[in-house]
Each structure stands twice: as structure tokens, then as C-alpha cells.
Amino acid sequence: MSAPESRSGRRARLDKLREAALHRKVLSRHLPAAFNGRWTRRHWAHASLFATLGALLAAIVPGFSGPTSDVAQAALSAPRTTLALTLPALPQSRRAPATDHWQLLTVQPGQTLGALFQQLGLPSATMHRLLQQPDARRALTRLRPGAELAFDIPRDGQLRALRYDRDETHRVELSLVGEQVRERVIERPTTTRTVVISGEVGRSLFWSARKLGLSGKAINQLTDEIFKYDIDFNEDVAASDRFSVVVDQVWREGELIRTGDIQAATFTVRGKLHSGFRFEHDGKAEYFTADGTPLKKAFIRMPIPYARISSGFSRARKHPILGRVRAHQGVDYAARSGTPIMAAGDARVAFVGWKGGYGRTVILDHGRGYTTLYGHMSRFGKERVGQRIAQGTVIGYVGMTGLATGPHLHYEFRINGAHRNPLAVTMPPPEPLRGAALAQFRAQTGQALAQIRKVEDVIYADAGTEAPKAKAARRG
């Protein structure tokens, strides 16, 4: 008989029994009851569910259902044929370079080639090697904002090649090979398309025309050169008024790169049709009406933009400085110092210099007895005596030289030496085209007008029933 257990031993054995009982109680709460050999409804439901899932899996995945069928085996063993397709050759200028280390930079205002090299961490010695090429020096030392230059810089950080556009049709690539610089010129052909763009003014002429693809330069031509004498674009134009223009567009590799001057234009304002046609006459291009009359008037009323009249034309007025009554034989336009002053018409420069109380003065001779005077200038333009200048040329800037109490332009208009009020005088009509020039003009403008009418007949065919939508039509 074993020796009786000590009190501490019995206590330890009882603690182990209690711990085992506690574990069995916890497990009984989380584990299902052991299978006792009898199938319940729950067991049958689970078995049916697993059998159904197995059948679906075998049907979806053929590999689970056993050996591959004869049809599948035949499909896998069928011979395959590779067909080579001939694709059109990609232009050289659009081919991807052999390396992916090209970095494209756009020249910002005031940025030089040296600044671009510094931005890329390239040594100036490399730049000077490239500029030893005469063509490269001419092109790269006169960079314009917006120009794009591509640099081929591999992982070692050394420049391998530089690429730039010499003009619209040529791209130059300079490669550094050892101590040599090799030049390669890539042809970039362009195509010119004559385009008729027609649309409504809408909420904004500029916005509508730009949306149709008309350049900002062409829009300014339309408003500031062709129709500025006949249409007030701030007051006269309504949203339903429409315009049509004929322009030449230059395309390169599917990209529009330039829009030329407007060749012809029509503008319908409140039912009245205005038209203008570009024609080169006597060595310069101008815009004319359909009958050959120049759209540009001989003189503009105000030779200074955005100015107010501070003193009008008068036979008797007390001079603000001299204090005595004397005739004011011109019109004063108050404006800030430095405001540009334009020639009122085509002319020959007759005088440039200081003229008594007028201060710095320019006098223009427009021919046929017409002259204009511009006084109190702060400084002159670049014109010289005897030089021929065009209407709108900046001849000086507003100031207060001579007898003047504030910055303004004193403007005089004379006919055969007699002063006339420039705001009231009947301006001479421009000289129309005649003879052979008129016949050539009519032949040229007839074709352009036919293009516009053809497009407008399509676009505005239903204008009587609903407002026509702005569209653009192209003729290649």
C-alpha cells in the first residue's frame, strides 16, 4: 500500500482535474457533437449541398471531369498559321527613337539655351561644341518662347544628341560622336488646305470662332482690319449674327501648325451683309468690298485708342497757359503719358522735331492736299522725314511737351493748308480698283464667294425654322 499523499500533493491533483474539466466545457460550446453513426436531416442537407457544388465545378472546369474530350484534343492539336501584315511606313520624324532617354523641353519667355543646359545639369562645354555648327548657332541663339528642344541623355548623364526644328518642314538632329558633331536633317512635309469656317457669334465672337478652329490672329484680322470701319463689335453685333471666312491652314503629320491670312470674309449683322476680300495691289495686300472699293478708309477719326476729347475744335478759345483768346484749330485727346499715337492714314513723313508751343511734333503729308499734325509728344517713333508709312503706324507717344497743362495729344487736320475739324469733315473716299486690277480681283473673289455660299447653303438651309448651329466645313 502506497504511502498516504501529502496535503499539498492532493491539492495539486485536484487543481489539474478542475482545469481539465473547464477545458472540456469550453470546447463543448464551440465544437459540434461527435458523429454517433446516425444521419440526421442536417447531415443529409450538407451532403447534398457538397455534391451539387462538385457537379457544377466539374462542368465548368473540364480538367476536373477527367480526360479531355476528342473535340478539345483536336482543337489543341490543329495546325496554326501566322499571317504577316504589311503596314504603311511611319514618317521618319514620327518614329520612336532607339532609346527612351529623350527629354522634351519648351522654351519659356526669357530662357536661353544656356539656361536649358543648366536645368538639365549639362556642362556648358558641350553646348559650345554644338554651337560651333553655323546653322545650329543661328537657330539656337535666337530661341523663341514656345519652341521645343529634345535632349537625348542616357543614364550616364552625358548628352548624346540634341534635336530642334529649323523651320516648319525641317527638323535637325545633332549627335555627339566622340569629338565630332554629326548633323542629320529630317524632312517634315506639310500640306495646305483651303478651309471655309462659318458660325454664329453666340455669346462671344472670339469664343465661337476659336471653338471652330479660327486662330486668334485671324479673329483680330476680322475685327480690327477687315470690318473695323463698318461694324462696331461692341454695340452692333447680336448673338444670332453669323460670319464666314476663307483661310489657308497648314498641316503637318495630322497636326494644324499654322493658319494663314483671311482670304475672304462675310459678316451678317442684323440682316445686313458685309463682305471683304484680300487682294494684293501695288505690292501690298489690302481688303476690298465685292465691287473693288477698299474697306480701309483714307483716314481714321481717332489717331489714339481709348482716349477722351478734352478740348474740341473751336474758332475762339481762351488759352489755358497764355491766358488770351485764340482759335483752337485742332482736337485734344486726353490720355496717359506713353500712350501710342497712330498715323491717321497712309502718308509721307514731312516733319519730325520740336515746333514751338506744340512741343515734340510730327507732320504727315497724305497727298492730294491733306496733312495731319500731332503735337505734345513725349517721344517719337522710329520714322524719319521722307519715309513712307502706312495707316496705323505708331509715330510717337503721348506727352505734355510744349505749352500743355497735362498729358494729351493735340491733333490737327488740314486740307490745302486750311484747318478743318477732324470730327466733322467729310473724309475723301478711297481709290477703287480699275481696269486690269479690277478684272483680276473679280476673278479671284468670285471663287472665294462661291465657296462661302456653298458652305452657308448647307449650314443655314433650315435657318428659317430653327437657329443654325455653328459649324466648320473644309475643302481640301
Side-chain angles (χ1 to χ4, degrees):
M1 186 174 179
S2 61
E5 292 181 340
S6 66
R7 182 178 296 179
S8 59
R10 287 196 303 271
R11 184 176 298 171
R13 188 163 58 88
L14 289 174
D15 290 340
K16 291 181 179 180
L17 292 174
R18 290 193 191 97
E19 185 176 355
L22 181 61
H23 278 288
R24 284 195 299 271
K25 185 177 182 181
V26 172
L27 290 174
S28 65
R29 294 177 181 176
H30 298 280
L31 297 177
F35 181 64
N36 56 9
R38 297 182 61 184
W39 284 65
T40 64
R41 291 182 179 181
R42 183 178 180 184
H43 294 142
W44 284 109
H46 287 173
S48 300
L49 178 60
F50 284 117
T52 304
L53 290 175
L56 288 174
L57 191 62
I60 295 173
V61 185
F64 281 56
S65 60
T68 307
S69 63
D70 295 339
V71 177
Q73 288 286 0
L76 292 173
S77 60
R80 288 177 170 79
T81 303
T82 302
L83 179 63
L85 298 177
T86 303
L87 298 176
L90 191 66
Q92 179 69 28
S93 59
R94 299 193 67 183
R95 293 178 185 173
T99 174
D100 58 354
H101 302 300
W102 286 95
Q103 299 185 40
L104 185 65
L105 295 183
T106 302
V107 178
Q108 303 301 319
Q111 203 169 33
T112 63
L113 183 64
L116 295 177
F117 267 70
Q118 185 176 5
Q119 178 179 339
L120 294 171
L122 299 174
S124 58
T126 303
M127 178 185 69
H128 293 306
R129 285 179 59 194
L130 296 175
L131 293 180
Q132 290 178 358
Q133 307 295 314
D135 291 341
R137 175 177 290 275
R138 283 192 294 268
L140 298 177
T141 55
R142 301 176 182 177
L143 295 176
R144 294 183 178 181
E148 293 182 341
L149 276 71
F151 297 80
D152 182 14
I153 306 175
R155 293 182 179 179
D156 60 6
Q158 301 297 318
L159 180 65
R160 184 157 48 192
L162 170 65
R163 192 167 58 201
Y164 65 92
D165 290 336
R166 187 171 68 190
D167 50 44
E168 289 182 352
T169 58
H170 298 90
R171 172 169 286 173
V172 178
E173 184 174 301
L174 301 175
S175 300
L176 295 169
V177 182
E179 297 298 322
Q180 295 182 342
V181 178
R182 297 179 182 176
E183 180 180 281
R184 183 167 69 100
V185 179
I186 304 170
E187 293 284 344
R188 307 184 74 192
T190 62
T191 57
T192 301
R193 305 173 188 174
T194 300
V195 177
V196 180
I197 297 177
S198 184
E200 286 186 345
V201 172
R203 64 182 183 183
S204 165
L205 172 62
F206 187 86
W207 183 86
S208 300
R210 288 291 289 169
K211 186 177 180 181
L212 291 172
L214 202 60
S215 67
K217 174 188 173 184
I219 297 172
N220 291 334
Q221 253 184 342
L222 189 70
T223 59
D224 298 343
E225 187 173 351
I226 302 176
F227 296 123
K228 74 172 182 178
Y229 299 96
D230 301 311
I231 302 174
D232 185 342
F233 287 92
N234 293 323
E235 301 293 338
D236 297 343
V237 177
S240 59
D241 293 336
R242 61 180 186 249
F243 61 92
S244 297
V245 297
V246 178
V247 293
D248 289 336
Q249 293 182 339
V250 180
W251 291 75
R252 183 182 61 206
E253 299 168 0
E255 178 186 6
L256 175 63
I257 61 173
R258 180 169 52 84
T259 299
D261 294 316
I262 293 179
Q263 301 301 315
T266 62
F267 213 114
T268 304
V269 179
R270 304 186 188 279
K272 183 179 180 181
L273 177 66
H274 300 270
S275 59
F277 302 88
R278 183 180 175 88
F279 183 69
E280 188 169 332
H281 180 57
D282 291 339
K284 63 179 180 179
E286 295 183 45
Y287 289 94
F288 297 81
T289 62
D291 60 1
T293 302
L295 282 171
K296 184 181 75 173
K297 301 300 186 285
F299 294 91
I300 54 179
R301 296 282 184 184
M302 294 179 60
I304 181 173
Y306 314 116
R308 65 177 179 85
I309 297 176
S310 57
S311 182
F313 187 88
S314 175
R315 293 299 178 184
R317 183 198 70 164
K318 186 177 181 179
H319 196 278
I321 295 179
L322 298 178
R324 62 175 182 263
V325 176
R326 59 184 294 183
H328 187 242
Q329 298 177 327
V331 175
D332 290 347
Y333 294 98
R336 293 182 177 180
S337 293
T339 302
I341 301 170
M342 300 176 293
D346 296 344
R348 179 184 62 83
V349 180
F351 177 84
V352 176
W354 190 277
K355 192 174 179 63
Y358 292 112
R360 291 191 178 93
T361 303
V362 171
I363 299 177
L364 302 180
D365 183 358
H366 305 277
R368 295 184 293 173
Y370 293 89
T371 60
T372 53
L373 179 147
Y374 312 79
H376 305 310
M377 292 183 176
S378 60
R379 57 190 177 97
F380 301 115
K382 299 180 180 179
E383 289 67 39
R384 298 293 179 265
V385 174
Q387 182 179 349
R388 304 285 312 181
I389 60 173
Q391 184 183 82
T393 302
V394 176
I395 58 175
Y397 301 86
V398 169
M400 53 183 297
T401 55
L403 298 178
T405 58
H408 71 281
L409 166 68
H410 176 79
Y411 174 58
E412 293 184 3
F413 190 90
R414 304 177 186 181
I415 302 178
N416 295 322
H419 291 85
R420 300 293 180 86
N421 184 356
L423 302 179
V425 68
T426 300
M427 296 296 183
E431 290 289 333
L433 296 173
R434 292 187 175 89
L438 180 59
Q440 183 182 358
F441 169 78
R442 286 176 174 170
Q444 177 179 316
T445 58
Q447 181 181 3
L449 189 58
Q451 291 174 326
I452 291 177
R453 286 175 176 170
K454 182 178 180 180
V455 171
E456 289 189 345
D457 287 344
V458 174
I459 296 178
Y460 307 118
D462 57 349
T465 57
E466 61 180 5
K469 297 181 179 179
K471 297 180 182 178
R474 176 176 296 158
R475 188 183 69 85

